[in-house]
Amino acid sequence: MNMTKGRLLDLGTGPATQAIELSKLGFQVTAIDISENAITRAKRTSKKGIEFIVDDILESKLKVNSFDYIFDRGCFHVLEPSSRQRYVNQVSRLLRDGGLLFLKTFSAKKPSRGGGPYRFSIDEIDSIFSHRFVIESFKETVYQGTLDILPKALFVVVRKKT
Ligand SMILES: C[S@@+](CC[C@H](N)C(=O)[O-])C[C@H]1O[C@@H](n2cnc3c(N)ncnc32)[C@H](O)[C@@H]1O
């Protein structure tokens, strides 16, 4: 995908791994997390240039149309099902028209034993997002981390409708 550099939000940034790499690539990065601890630690380990904010994506205090791109690795899939439409509405509010959301979740192909993180198929993502977004692309992949067997994951790019 050919992406020009722009304003980018890393939501649910945790240790800011993505935020740091994206900032190095030249994006103007804002990173939010609901956890004050996560933001305090991320600020300590990151170089200057990233704006870190304690913020709940479901009640975000960030301004409308603030971003060209939003990244979410692992936040959406921990939210309760009852919060999903609020999430879609907030992400849509924060993105400019035509802006992109890059979303990584656990995949429905990994059988669930119940409880979060939730797992999604591409059809479920489509039905949750389709009133405000169109799917640009998706890929079945794995969720890199410390587990011996890497969980199956879904990486989806959706574009905000104009
Ligand atoms: C599984 S971690 C992923 C962290 C990071 N993105 C990564 O890939 O390593 C999910 C993160 O989402 C944050 N989070 C959960 N609910 C949130 C919300 N409503 N608003 C913002 N962040 C939230 C958690 O505090 C946690 O840091």
Side-chain angles (χ1 to χ4, degrees):
M1 181 173 289
N2 199 3
M3 285 169 65
T4 52
K5 304 289 153 56
R7 304 159 303 163
L8 185 150
L9 174 67
D10 183 32
L11 77 81
T13 194
T17 317
Q18 276 68 240
I20 292 167
E21 291 308 313
L22 290 160
S23 171
K24 281 185 196 160
L25 288 173
F27 292 93
Q28 186 188 321
V29 179
T30 301
I32 64 167
D33 204 289
I34 197 169
S35 156
E36 215 169 314
N37 262 343
I39 291 296
T40 304
R41 271 184 276 124
K43 273 184 185 165
R44 253 186 244 136
T45 55
S46 304
K47 298 239 178 343
K48 287 195 177 122
I50 300 173
E51 184 180 20
F52 287 103
I53 302 171
V54 177
D55 194 41
D56 178 354
I57 187 57
L58 301 175
E59 296 174 4
S60 179
K61 49 188 185 285
L62 300 177
K63 287 198 188 116
V64 67
N65 291 342
S66 292
F67 301 101
D68 304 299
Y69 308 106
I70 298 184
F71 263 69
D72 176 344
R73 180 182 182 272
C75 181
F76 175 72
H77 76 180
V78 300
L79 299 177
E80 287 305 317
S82 57
S83 301
R84 287 177 190 157
Q85 284 314 314
R86 261 165 73 199
Y87 173 98
V88 173
N89 292 338
Q90 282 293 338
V91 167
S92 170
R93 187 180 71 78
L94 295 175
L95 269 178
R96 67 161 169 81
D97 284 352
L100 296 172
L101 167 68
F102 297 82
L103 179 67
K104 189 155 187 180
T105 70
F106 277 9
S107 162
K109 293 198 172 167
K110 179 185 164 62
S112 173
R113 294 199 195 99
Y118 294 93
R119 293 154 170 84
F120 298 90
S121 66
I122 191 62
D123 289 344
E124 283 167 319
I125 294 291
D126 190 35
S127 72
I128 293 166
F129 284 82
S130 63
H131 62 299
R132 294 194 187 274
F133 290 87
V134 285
I135 292 175
E136 283 270 308
S137 65
F138 73 96
K139 189 177 163 186
E140 296 286 351
T141 178
V142 291
Y143 201 92
Q144 297 288 344
T146 51
L147 297 174
D148 285 344
I149 299 173
L150 298 178
K152 289 194 167 74
L154 192 60
F155 181 64
V156 191
V157 184
V158 294
R159 187 180 292 280
K160 181 180 168 182
K161 289 180 180 172
T162 50

